[in-house]
Amino acid sequence: MSLKSIVGQLKEMRDGIGNMSRRAGGSDGRAGHGHAGSRHSWPGLWAEQPQRLGQGQEGSQQQQHQGRWANLPPELLLDVIQRVEASEATWPARRQVVACAHVCRSWREITKEVVKTLEECGRITFPISLKQPGPREQPVQCFVRRDRATSTYLLYLGLSPSLNVENDKLLLAARKVRRATRTSFVISLASDDFSHSSSTYVGKLKPNFLGTKFTIFDSQPPSDAVVLPNNKPSKRQSKQVSPRLPLGNYNVATVTYELTVLRNRGPRRMQCTMHSIPAQCIQEGGKAPTPTGTIHSLDEPVSTLSSTKGKEPAVEFSSTSLSADLSGPACTGEEPLVLKNKAPRWHEQLQCWCLNFRGRVTVASVKNFQLVASVDPSLNIPAAEQEKVILQFGKIGKDIFTMDYRYPLSAFQAFAICLTSFDTKPACE
């Protein structure tokens, strides 16, 4: 049997599993999370296992279908998944790699072994890749779409928007929530579900009143970090839908904009303190915290609490279940990594401030920036490493921006930092 036919059968089996799951969960369930965008969003990739029926034709067919593929020799199974992983390097074709992890437990374990971290392979495969540091050599190139009507911001993987929207891979989505005294951004895996108690909730961004300081909260504890909790009781303890859902916010970074007293015209000055990333990680041989957890086991029964209310079964993004809102900074026991915006130069002929974005930014905007490491001289970091752009963000058209990030930032951290550019800053402009 050829590799192409195997992948085709895997896709058919995955679609069949998804159809049976929707029938088991009810016709009014949200199994698709927005039918128009399910083909290129994370929830569409998480084909949940159907509930264990124990009787009926569908249950027997499911067991027979999985048993045939689960009994493949490990050597053959490893070779098949390695071939699929090597051949399907870009989205949407990389969905086939995700399909391999949805077959059964043995396939999932082999897929986890074959698929390397984002830093090692430079490919985004599973949702956990969004919390892993980017590759060291080449940046991950993305773009952001802004929808002014709904105050939403969508992060896609790719150089620029494609003519075929179905080929654009949605990584993260954010919505600006306006309150009486301030605004905040809720970050999710889905473009139509921004509930804090949802399984798609990833984190949030909270500014102060003046718009000079932003705090980035992660829904799950940073890897190899100690979190200093505050003494305030959680306001979301009563909103937990399932014991599998993460119920906590961890302060992983702080973004500060320099206060402009005289209101002189010029580029914004910003500084990012990454509480969960040690400064030593950018040294030669250094290592940034890398989470490796995945969604819950695909061959375990999922909670039926949400499905009884017409909602899809909960999918675990974090391996930890929390009962407190931890808003203290996450500490690694070492000096945190500090990023600063690269100072632009004044162009006399153009009469504007300029930065070299290497063709990735084409429209002048106060939101454009580049971030580099601001390290202590005692760390003996080479000058070339200090000048390396870790994150750049800029405008290329109306409501379209590019975002390129690399090690040691993750996609979630980079996206949250870029969202600070969209908030109103009355004290900085």
Side-chain angles (χ1 to χ4, degrees):
M1 182 181 297
S2 64
L3 176 62
K4 186 175 181 180
S5 61
I6 293 178
V7 172
Q9 292 190 29
L10 285 176
K11 184 176 181 181
E12 293 176 1
M13 183 173 65
R14 181 197 62 190
D15 296 339
I17 293 175
N19 293 335
M20 286 187 287
S21 177
R22 287 189 287 271
R23 288 198 299 268
S27 59
D28 58 343
R30 295 186 303 160
H33 249 314
H35 298 287
S38 61
R39 289 187 59 186
H40 54 274
S41 60
W42 288 118
L45 300 177
W46 285 349
E48 293 88 358
Q49 284 290 96
Q51 301 176 11
R52 301 225 188 282
L53 304 177
Q55 59 182 356
Q57 186 176 4
E58 288 184 350
S60 60
Q61 288 180 353
Q62 174 69 12
Q63 293 179 355
Q64 181 180 0
H65 207 44
Q66 281 199 7
R68 181 179 63 179
W69 291 98
N71 295 328
L72 286 179
E75 296 80 5
L76 177 59
L77 178 58
L78 177 62
D79 181 67
V80 169
I81 296 180
Q82 285 179 338
R83 290 171 179 264
V84 174
E85 200 277 336
S87 60
E88 311 296 354
T90 59
W91 289 91
R94 198 157 179 81
R95 292 170 60 93
Q96 310 305 334
V97 181
V98 181
C100 292
H102 284 68
V103 176
C104 60
R105 180 185 296 272
S106 59
W107 281 67
R108 179 170 64 90
E109 294 301 325
I110 295 295
T111 305
K112 288 171 56 179
E113 178 183 343
V114 171
V115 178
K116 304 300 181 183
T117 64
L118 178 60
E119 179 186 351
E120 296 172 327
C121 67
R123 300 173 181 174
I124 293 179
T125 306
F126 300 106
I128 195 62
S129 303
L130 305 178
K131 296 292 186 74
Q132 295 175 346
R136 292 178 181 261
E137 301 302 327
Q138 298 295 330
V140 179
Q141 296 178 318
C142 312
F143 66 93
V144 177
R145 286 182 179 272
R146 175 175 59 181
D147 189 337
R148 296 175 183 265
T150 59
S151 297
T152 56
Y153 306 84
L154 305 180
L155 176 66
Y156 291 92
L157 179 66
L159 295 174
S160 61
S162 61
L163 297 178
N164 185 6
V165 181
E166 293 292 330
N167 292 330
D168 293 337
K169 171 57 188 170
L170 177 65
L171 300 181
L172 292 168
R175 171 168 292 174
K176 179 186 288 188
V177 180
R178 292 180 172 85
R179 305 188 184 279
T181 58
R182 68 181 67 180
T183 61
S184 62
F185 294 84
V186 180
I187 304 175
S188 172
L189 291 172
S191 59
D192 58 352
D193 187 358
F194 295 94
S195 172
H196 284 209
S197 58
S198 171
S199 60
T200 62
Y201 174 71
V202 178
K204 64 181 180 180
L205 175 70
K206 295 180 63 175
N208 63 357
F209 177 74
L210 296 176
T212 58
K213 183 178 180 180
F214 297 80
T215 305
I216 301 175
F217 294 95
D218 196 335
S219 64
Q220 61 184 137
S223 177
D224 302 329
V226 178
V227 180
L228 303 179
N230 64 350
N231 295 324
K232 298 179 182 179
S234 172
K235 296 181 181 179
R236 297 195 292 109
Q237 288 183 7
S238 60
K239 295 183 180 181
Q240 188 172 12
V241 178
S242 168
R244 288 187 174 189
L245 297 180
L247 189 60
N249 287 311
Y250 297 87
N251 182 349
V252 295
T254 302
V255 182
T256 306
Y257 284 83
E258 184 175 311
L259 183 64
T260 303
V261 180
L262 300 179
R263 293 185 177 273
N264 59 322
R265 301 292 295 177
R268 297 169 177 172
R269 297 180 181 178
M270 59 188 299
Q271 177 176 290
C272 306
T273 304
M274 312 304 298
H275 304 300
S276 60
I277 304 177
Q280 289 81 356
C281 72
I282 63 175
Q283 290 180 315
E284 185 177 358
K287 185 68 175 178
T290 305
T292 56
T294 58
I295 59 175
H296 66 84
S297 176
L298 298 173
D299 46 8
E300 292 177 356
V302 296
S303 173
T304 59
L305 178 60
S306 59
S307 61
T308 58
K309 298 181 181 181
K311 298 181 179 180
E312 66 173 354
V315 180
E316 180 184 355
F317 187 84
S318 168
S319 59
T320 308
S321 184
L322 305 167
S323 59
D325 186 5
L326 304 177
S327 59
C331 303
T332 59
E334 301 172 325
E335 286 295 324
L337 175 67
V338 177
L339 305 177
K340 64 179 181 179
N341 63 311
K342 193 172 183 178
R345 61 180 179 85
W346 178 257
H347 199 289
E348 287 292 342
Q349 295 180 348
L350 299 178
Q351 290 294 300
C352 65
W353 297 95
C354 297
L355 279 172
N356 183 11
F357 288 94
R358 302 186 182 277
R360 290 285 288 156
V361 177
T362 57
V363 179
S365 173
V366 70
K367 297 179 176 63
N368 302 347
F369 67 83
Q370 290 180 329
L371 293 184
V372 296
S374 175
V375 297
D376 192 291
S378 61
L379 295 179
N380 297 323
I381 304 296
E385 192 69 25
Q386 298 184 39
E387 290 296 321
K388 183 179 295 185
V389 176
I390 296 177
L391 170 64
Q392 76 173 20
F393 178 77
K395 191 173 184 179
I396 60 173
K398 184 179 180 181
D399 297 325
I400 301 179
F401 305 80
T402 58
M403 186 194 87
D404 301 341
Y405 75 97
R406 68 168 73 227
Y407 176 92
L409 290 183
S410 66
F412 163 70
Q413 294 166 341
F415 185 45
I417 293 174
C418 294
L419 288 176
T420 64
S421 294
F422 293 106
D423 196 48
T424 304
K425 303 171 182 61
C428 301
E429 299 174 348

